[in-house]
Amino acid sequence: MSKAEVYIIESLDLSDEDSRKEGEIISRTLTLAGKKPIYRYVRTKREFSYFIEDFKKTDYRYLHISCHGNQDLICLTMNKMNNEEFAKIVGPALDKKRLFLSACLATTEYLAKEVFAHGSCRSVAGPASSINFDDAAIFWTAFYHLMFKKEAKSMANRDIVASIMAFGWALAEQFHFFRPDTNGNVKGLTLPSNETLEKRIDGWLTTGM
C-alpha cells in the first residue's frame, strides 16, 4: 500500500530561485497540516532522474513537479526534456500513483498519453495555460489542504475534479485533468469549463469588482 504523501520536485530559472519556489511553499504548508512531504530542488536532467527513482523508493503516492514548461517541453534550470523524454523517466515510477504538474501549458493530452503509456499512472493534472507564481502557489496549497482534510488516506477522481473546479473558479484559472479509461484511452476535462469561467468573469464585471 503506497503512502498518501506528496513528493515535490522543483526546478526553476536561476533568476527565480531566490524568491519563487512554489514547491517549497507547498511543502511547508503540508508540514503544517501534519503531512510528511519530501521536497527536492534540482537543476539538471540527471538530478531529476535520480530523485524520480528516489520518489519510487519512498512509495509516496503523489508526485508534484513544479517547473517551467510549454506544450512541447519540460524545462529544468539547466536542461530541457521533450514530452517523450519526460514520460519515459516519470511514467514507470507512477504505478497506481498520480502526477500533479505545475508548469505553464505543459499538461496536455499528448503528455498524459505518453505518461500513461509508460506505466499505470492514475491521473495527470496541471494548469491549462500560463499561470502566475502566486496563483499557482495559492491553488496547490489550497488543493492539497482540502484533499487531505477531506480524506487523509486517498484521493478519488471525483474529489480531485471538484477541488480543481472550486479553486480554479476562485482564481479564474483553468486546469486540465486526464485519466486513462479501462480501454487505455485518455479521458480529459478542462476545469472549470469556459462557460463556467465566463460566468465568473461576468459576475466580477456586473458587481463592479
Side-chain angles (χ1 to χ4, degrees):
M1 191 71 177
S2 59
K3 304 170 186 174
E5 297 283 358
V6 185
Y7 193 110
I8 303 167
I9 297 178
E10 187 159 40
S11 188
L12 305 171
D13 291 339
L14 289 171
S15 59
D16 295 327
E17 290 184 346
D18 290 336
S19 59
R20 293 185 171 182
K21 288 184 177 177
E22 164 211 302
E24 196 173 54
I25 295 170
I26 297 168
S27 178
R28 291 202 302 267
T29 305
L30 284 167
T31 301
L32 285 173
K35 302 301 289 182
K36 297 178 181 178
I38 294 175
Y39 173 82
R40 301 290 185 237
Y41 189 86
V42 306
R43 287 182 171 177
T44 66
K45 182 178 175 181
R46 182 177 179 180
E47 291 174 334
F48 180 80
S49 299
Y50 176 87
F51 285 114
I52 290 295
E53 286 301 309
D54 186 59
F55 160 72
K56 188 175 181 180
K57 292 175 184 177
T58 64
D59 208 25
Y60 275 28
R61 194 176 305 158
Y62 311 117
L63 176 62
H64 181 101
I65 298 175
S66 175
C67 63
H68 291 294
N70 57 44
Q71 293 177 341
D72 302 310
L73 296 170
I74 298 295
C75 302
L76 307 178
T77 310
M78 300 298 182
N79 304 127
K80 293 179 174 64
M81 295 176 283
N82 61 33
N83 290 331
E84 294 82 5
E85 290 176 298
F86 175 80
K88 188 175 180 179
I89 294 170
V90 304
L94 288 165
D95 183 28
K96 297 181 181 178
K97 299 179 181 181
R98 299 186 187 272
L99 173 63
F100 298 100
L101 184 58
S102 184
C104 296
L105 301 168
T107 309
T108 64
E109 182 176 348
Y110 179 73
L111 180 138
K113 182 178 179 180
E114 288 294 305
V115 170
F116 297 151
H118 284 86
S120 55
C121 177
R122 286 185 171 173
S123 65
V124 176
S129 59
S130 296
I131 185 170
N132 293 334
F133 278 97
D134 54 350
D135 286 333
I138 291 168
F139 174 85
W140 290 113
T141 52
F143 171 81
Y144 286 123
H145 180 74
L146 183 60
M147 293 304 299
F148 288 127
K149 186 173 183 178
K150 181 177 179 61
E151 175 54 69
K153 296 182 179 181
S154 66
M155 289 188 190
N157 285 332
R158 66 182 301 166
D159 292 334
I160 293 173
V161 168
S163 295
I164 291 176
M165 286 184 66
F167 296 124
W169 186 85
L171 293 168
E173 294 285 355
Q174 288 183 305
F175 292 78
H176 285 152
F177 177 77
F178 299 105
R179 65 172 181 83
D181 66 13
T182 54
N183 297 316
N185 300 313
V186 178
K187 307 293 285 186
L189 293 170
T190 300
L191 306 164
S193 66
N194 289 328
E195 182 182 2
T196 302
L197 204 58
E198 286 171 3
K199 288 181 179 179
R200 169 63 164 151
I201 293 171
D202 288 343
W204 284 346
L205 296 176
T206 56
T207 57
M209 294 179 67

